[in-house]
Amino acid sequence: MGRRPEAKRISRLIGLTGRPSANVNVGVSNIPVPGSLAVYFGDGADKIYQVTQWLPVLEELHEKEEVLLVFRTLSAFEYLTL
């Protein structure tokens, strides 16, 4: 089963073309990211409690450092923003 067409387009857009070799870390560089701390959440909205329990701490930290929340799924992002 192949990847969705939009995923391929996004990968090309940010420079992730081809397959990396087994011993190479793949990263994205030269893309400005707001924040000095990134928190990644890889689950869907059904497990959003894992993020919400940390929100007070992250909000307090955000007063001193820019905190960026990164969500793998749209459902988790929408749950917190809608």
Side-chain angles (χ1 to χ4, degrees):
M1 180 176 223
R3 290 170 36 194
R4 296 186 323 263
E6 63 270 20
K8 290 180 183 178
R9 284 188 5 236
I10 291 170
S11 293
R12 279 195 307 270
L13 179 68
I14 63 174
L16 296 177
T17 57
R19 287 201 122 103
S21 67
N23 296 324
V24 176
N25 289 329
V26 175
V28 179
S29 60
N30 299 324
I31 298 176
V33 176
S36 55
L37 173 71
V39 177
Y40 174 77
F41 182 68
D43 283 319
D46 59 325
K47 297 200 177 142
I48 202 71
Y49 70 90
Q50 296 175 6
V51 172
T52 57
Q53 67 184 355
W54 285 98
L55 285 179
V57 175
L58 295 172
E59 288 170 340
E60 185 177 330
L61 180 59
H62 187 68
E63 293 175 8
K64 299 174 187 141
E65 300 282 338
E66 287 188 74
V67 176
L68 173 68
L69 296 177
V70 179
F71 296 93
R72 184 178 62 85
T73 66
L74 184 59
S75 66
F77 174 76
E78 286 177 339
Y79 185 87
L80 286 178
T81 58
L82 294 180

